[in-house]
């Protein structure tokens, strides 16, 4: 057999290896939170979109939830305003909200365009469409009013299920409405987590700028590849992990306690991290599992 | 019978009068082009949204197509750029297009919010979603390149039909993509006209800032209430009507020749002009009819 | 704005006002018991049919249950027999039953015809069709055999649900069959009440010859506009209301206790009383509500 | 094998013999016109109902169309009026029509009752229900106005197809409405023939008081067992058959030319003539066949 | 009436008699275990197939489960091997299993052919298709390994329900697979019993070479026609019945305790024993009933 | 990036490359003829099954048609008979047919087992099931009777479409029935070709023991990678290709002329030749294309 052929056979083997994984998640919903650096680098962005499109084509039902943090800041500055944060939350007055929504929709439709370009039917929705995301005002950790920042109180899952039913790949931007139909900005991680629960997702994957969860944040070799719910709770209580990581881990634990089978914290800067995590034995980032399960 | 009761009976009579019309258009699609002043005045806007929501609830299948002209100009200026027009078309470079898309999406999601507030399920889509509006570059009348201004070559009607099937009221903003997946601005009238044809709408209604078509534009008393296709063509050929009206009338004629039963040019500044036109004997604006039909 | 226009705008406002109500009862079943004077006066009859047809067209699922009392007596006399009543129940021997059924079917098909004339698909059924109404013999209050007078023991709701599913407006005449397949006359109020329970109607409306329930029957100004279940039971126990009203009120209470949200006792002599009750703030007659609800 | 057993085996053989026929007409529509003596004799009536019910249970989709001739005359007399005929058509003034409709509905609901008693879901409809039978006024052969006697101009087949779809056995009484929604009496043979065409029936069976078609009406031994369309036309043109038979045969020919596969003229006085014709080799009455077919 | 006609009328009466039974089991699943002599005699085989086909055509949903005992032995001998049994179980090494499977599939497809010839849509499946029958290894009563003899641990009922849904008559041969996907032979009685439970059959009928259950096996006049579950258990405990009958009766009892309404042990040597049992008053063999029921 | 990671990224790239192809054939039917050496080597067999299972899981609708040539000969010899061929057709007397069918079913159920083991729902059918393959007797090229060798005259495609609809992977063995319901052996290539036409397959792939079509059979370097219908016809007429290849090529041409988009002649001895052909740019074997298309 010539070398050329051997190369092709290797390719076939890779596809065959993927079989088991394709089977396991057939027709299951996977919510992908997409944000951070992975959204800024054009090459990485293309890879993420290809990965999600692949998931769709081999039978998964992916839903993308995206943020727009840095882009929003850029446009807020452009408009001559000063981005302002209290307790890590963007202070969002009416004018800022108007810009934030415009930017988020721009990002949203751009992702739609990229998925469509790969031949898959996408639709971009915000939390306004079909009343998808209903919120209350969220105060900062120290109880301060930071404007139109929302806390999700209800996800109208049927909107997404209906769109999946019509074979769309839904792409959600984290904008919500309160009982008086005012517009609110929502943290994209929170939106992804709430949506995953509401649609009974099989998997929830966070693509972010970190490699995963570290036992000791200072020691990059202490990356944890898998963590049961109990272990995650211990880690939180132990005080070993840094502040920013705590709500993220709590969301992960909450998702699993609400029926999501597995949550992944992936390093969005690694090309095709989603495919690698799902279709190969290479564990990427940190997986949060049900108690009693092993990777 | 006391006076109070008489008043209520009058109300009942109005509802009963509406019966015939409700019946006639049951489950029929009506495309409503919504733009101009009617979009700027908050009170008028509320009325239009109420009217369309009413149509939905009594069994029609409305689709809103909206523009955003003046709002776009405002934001373009805000960004320190000069709105520029050639042959009546907005010159749309990449940066202008970026702003235009952001503004159109903002307008779009605001309309979604207003419809949702009235308890009806809305969804906002642009021509990118599901590849709804595919375009080629459009040159100005004098053959000049005006940038990302698109000419619709294909409407993927199934996107809208699937959304109607799931009981959404679709609200469309006129943004399209070309074969290389670049983003284009589209004239909202053109979008409405193309969509009405593609979804086999029963009615197409343009809500604009004019009372209708005049036999003699200078003579406001020469408003035409109804016009068959033949009469419209004659009017165009006669040179009696002004330049801006010509493409609008041609679109109307084209829509009817492609299966739309009736097109209405309504004065969006009259509150509830849609309801009045459809549910009462009061003709508002100008109706373009099939040959042989009378109002 | 000219006066003519103002008048049309007023009409539009009436339609808009109806929006909220149309929405609230969309796809809900409403059972309308139709009898008494409202059936004898041709003009009133047309109004009732228009009202019910309107309900159908704006998205309700109405079912009409009608009686035929006075008409039956007329034909019984015509046949040379003497109408006879014991304890308020018509004594119904085989010959009377034969005539009663013929008259009820005549009335039934006439209502079908009137609805069809308004362009809505109607179908007339008796309790025999699909075995809709199964009865036992009913004795009079004093325990006397009054012949073929039936007490409903089972409603085969699926017959009506299947017809609604095929978009018919079912019109039911109160004839039933016992276990030996003999034909029985049924009180139309009882039939309406049993059907409303069986099909899980949202509303049950009795159109009769009375204005509603009076606190003191002699004092026409003591009409009660709304009554919770508890208040109705109190009224019954207090002995304040007259004999004939008691079983009617008990049926109303029973309907609500079995899942119907609201029961209305309406004065069928007021034109469009149904529309007025449902689509305007004008309360007509007496509404029986769940405890804790207010009108 | 004992004699008792032999008897049972014979029974099994009969069932097995029926297999071929059951198969051939599985899910096919058969329209049964039921009238004449077979309706007056209680025993015969039970047999006919059993036969049709059997057809339903083994997979056919039967539709019964019935008349009520003698019963109508009886009640017309009872009401002190004189039945009057012109050219063989009942002169039907408004009062007669009222009685005729009442009687036909009585007969209709009685048939429903009988089918229900055998455990099959029946529904009785007239030509008013769903606008099933639309008519024009029919003049007598000599051009005289005979009142409310209708000529079918449209059958809304969907009404019957929807009822079949919901597994009802429809029983139709021949009452129709004209464009002004007046009520008309229709000849039951005409109704059966028009319905068979409209619903694309596989078979149309007339149960009447004659043995079938005779080559020579005076010679009872000249009964024709099968007749192609061509042969039937010849017979009509030859003048050999009597006047009353001509329109019947023309209807039969018309039915076959409009898609019905086979028409049977059966002697309703023979018990179970329908089952015998369909499930055994015993030909009963006269079959009208397509050209080129043999029995 | 001539004698010929009388004979036909008798036939019609038989069909009419069958009505009640056809009705009672409409759309119900009946599992027919078919084996023993009834499979060897060509005439009996035709009768059984006709009976089951008849059940299908009149609205039942039959499933055939067949064995192939004697045929397997014949082919094992033909291949020069010696059929060997331990504790009544065929010792099934890999080679024997290969032959057994081939024979069973041959028998299976032959039954398919016979049903198809009668115009009914059949499909032959083994326990491998869709993973229908999953087994563990079964040891003999005395604990010996008899090779590839399987004990059913799971029936994937959906396979059969999906085939019934597509209007196939499924014919099952008792071959199963274990967790390592080895092929196993299964006792056909066990397969029938397990399948009846899994698909919630209304009836389970064993066609075998015995007349039924005897109170005293030596006394052929002691055949029991009906037996409740309690009576069957008593009989087993009393020691009155012979060894081979015990597991069969236990299976019958188990089936009823798991939702099957009635089990029949029929003498497959009586022609049309299935039809006779189901469609006539002639009880054939032994019926096992729920407690409290009487035949 | 470490080497380990690079390796994983390469894997991800392979998956991404497959995207385009997965998309193109989504929900399309592909008929795979599987025979020859690829069926004898256990390793190759596993690979073929994995490939087809992969196709199923990523959204294709594969149908396997298999042969059993060499296995049949083995068993015929085992039974002490001499395999005999006339004009290349196996002489198939009744006894040979019996063995052939048993062997084909054995092979069939073994393939079912292998697919099931990979977690995909398979069902094995012969041409008897649902009357899938109806045949006439086929004479040899020289007009000789070779026994039960069939020529397909009708494929009941609905059987396969119904099974696909229920998400089965159908595996077909080439056994058919004639009008008298005798059993026939069918050439597997013919069966695959006829089935591909009948189900409107997108692709038809022959896995055989040859590398593909050669321009000059003696010169192994003259393998043709793609051939339009016109080129194939030319090749046949030119006499350049060997006799055995002619009917195969004619079948390929016929398939394309009947709606199949592309036919592949693949070398079944190359592992994963199906995946390589479909999911990579490596062309394997010979593709027969529509005129005007290029690979």
């Amino acid at each position: 057999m010539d070398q050329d052929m051997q190369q092709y056979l290797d390719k076939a083997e890779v596809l065959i290896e993927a079989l088991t994984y394709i089977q396991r998640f057939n027709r299951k919903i996977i919510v992908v939170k997409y944000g951070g650096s992975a959204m800024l680098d054009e090459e990485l962005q293309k890879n993420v979109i290809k990965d999600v499109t692949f998931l769709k084509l081999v039978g998964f039902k992916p839903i993308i939830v995206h943020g727009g943090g840095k882009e929003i800041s850029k446009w807020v500055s452009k408009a001559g305003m000063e981005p302002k944060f209290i307790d890590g939350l963007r202070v969002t007055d009416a004018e800022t909200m108007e810009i934030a929504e415009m930017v988020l929709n721009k990002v949203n439709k751009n992702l739609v365009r990229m998925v469509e370009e790969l031949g898959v039917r996408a639709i971009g929705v915000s939390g306004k469409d079909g009343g998808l995301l209903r919120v209350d005002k969220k105060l900062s950790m120290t109880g301060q009013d930071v404007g139109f920042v929302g806390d999700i109180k209800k996800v109208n899952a049927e909107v997404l299920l209906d769109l999946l039913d019509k074979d769309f790949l839904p792409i959600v931007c984290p904008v919500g409405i309160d009982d008086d139909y005012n517009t609110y900005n929502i943290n994209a991680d929170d939106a992804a987590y709430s949506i995953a629960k509401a649609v009974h997702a099989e998997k929830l994957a966070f693509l972010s700028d970190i490699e995963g969860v570290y036992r000791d944040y200072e020691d990059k070799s202490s990356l944890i590849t898998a963590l049961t719910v109990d272990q995650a709770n211990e880690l939180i209580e132990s005080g070993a992990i840094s502040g920013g990581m705590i709500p993220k881990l709590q969301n992960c634990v909450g998702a699993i306690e609400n029926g999501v089978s597995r949550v992944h914290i992936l390093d969005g800067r690694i090309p095709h991290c989603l495919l690698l995590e799902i279709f190969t034995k290479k564990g990427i980032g940190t997986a949060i599992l049900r108690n009693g399960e092993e990777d």
Side-chain angles (χ1 to χ4, degrees), chain A:
Chain A
M1 194 180 296
D2 59 16
Q3 207 183 336
D4 180 53
M5 181 57 92
Q6 183 55 52
Q7 199 183 339
Y8 279 107
L9 289 183
D10 290 351
K11 288 188 175 191
E13 280 302 335
V14 174
L15 294 172
I16 288 300
E17 258 183 59
L19 252 192
T20 326
Y21 305 100
I22 288 177
Q23 236 166 291
R24 195 186 298 163
F25 302 114
N26 198 20
R27 291 178 201 170
K28 299 280 172 58
I29 296 177
I30 174 166
V31 173
V32 178
K33 156 63 205 313
Y34 173 44
S37 310
M39 279 188 73
L40 297 180
D41 180 291
E42 204 176 327
E43 203 54 42
L44 284 174
Q45 201 176 26
K46 273 190 191 162
N47 282 333
V48 169
I49 292 305
K50 276 185 185 167
D51 286 14
V52 178
T53 307
F54 185 86
L55 295 180
K56 174 82 180 167
L57 282 170
V58 300
F60 284 67
K61 297 182 163 187
I63 294 169
I64 296 175
V65 179
H66 65 86
K70 291 176 189 171
E71 186 89 340
I72 296 174
S73 295
K74 196 184 86 185
W75 284 84
V76 166
S77 304
K78 220 168 167 175
M81 296 185 286
E82 193 80 8
K84 213 177 119 191
F85 292 82
I86 295 181
D87 300 340
L89 296 177
R90 180 189 301 278
V91 177
T92 310
D93 56 16
E95 209 180 350
T96 305
M97 186 63 235
E98 193 174 29
I99 292 174
E101 191 183 10
M102 283 166 76
V103 173
L104 284 166
N105 277 324
K106 186 176 78 81
V107 170
N108 184 268
K109 294 303 180 194
N110 191 43
L111 294 174
V112 167
R113 187 185 60 79
M114 291 176 79
V115 173
E116 284 283 332
E117 194 164 0
L118 293 172
V120 162
R121 199 186 206 196
I123 192 161
V125 293
S126 88
K128 289 177 173 175
D129 296 286
L132 175 61
L133 301 175
R134 308 303 303 258
V135 306
D136 283 332
K137 185 186 265 288
K138 183 182 197 163
L139 298 182
S140 85
M141 270 193 316
T142 58
Q144 299 187 61
D145 183 336
V146 289
F148 294 101
V149 174
D151 204 23
I152 295 177
K153 66 173 179 182
K154 184 166 189 307
V155 175
N156 284 316
E158 219 173 69
V159 174
L160 295 171
L161 298 176
D162 278 355
L163 294 174
L164 289 174
D165 197 41
K166 286 295 186 187
D167 216 25
F168 286 106
L169 192 166
I171 301 178
V172 183
C173 77
V175 168
I177 37 180
D178 71 5
D179 289 352
D180 298 324
Y181 287 85
N182 296 306
T183 305
Y184 282 76
N185 200 2
I186 303 170
N187 176 272
D189 275 23
D190 288 353
Y193 155 71
S194 299
I195 286 171
K197 279 196 308 183
V199 299
H200 305 297
E202 176 71 17
K203 266 182 187 295
L204 167 58
F206 290 100
L207 268 67
S208 57
D209 291 359
I210 52 171
E211 283 185 64
V213 182
Y214 298 97
R215 201 162 297 280
D216 171 1
Y217 187 72
E218 298 306 313
D219 174 8
K220 294 303 180 202
S221 72
S222 70
L223 183 72
I224 303 169
T225 57
L227 212 51
T228 64
V229 160
D230 281 354
Q231 290 167 342
N233 282 330
E234 263 173 57
L235 209 63
I236 293 167
E237 284 160 28
S238 75
I241 56 167
S242 72
M245 204 59 207
I246 290 178
K248 198 168 213 113
L249 257 187
Q250 283 170 331
N251 269 352
C252 295
V253 165
I256 288 175
E257 286 173 352
N258 281 282
V260 176
S261 294
R262 193 166 286 200
V263 183
H264 297 281
I265 298 174
L266 301 176
D267 187 343
R269 298 164 302 185
I270 300 176
H272 301 305
C273 60
L274 255 175
L275 287 196
L276 291 178
E277 172 56 46
I278 295 178
F279 292 111
T280 71
K281 286 181 191 126
K282 177 72 183 172
I284 302 281
T286 303
I288 294 88
L289 318 172
R290 291 191 180 141
N291 291 326
E293 283 199 19
E294 280 176 89
D295 207 17

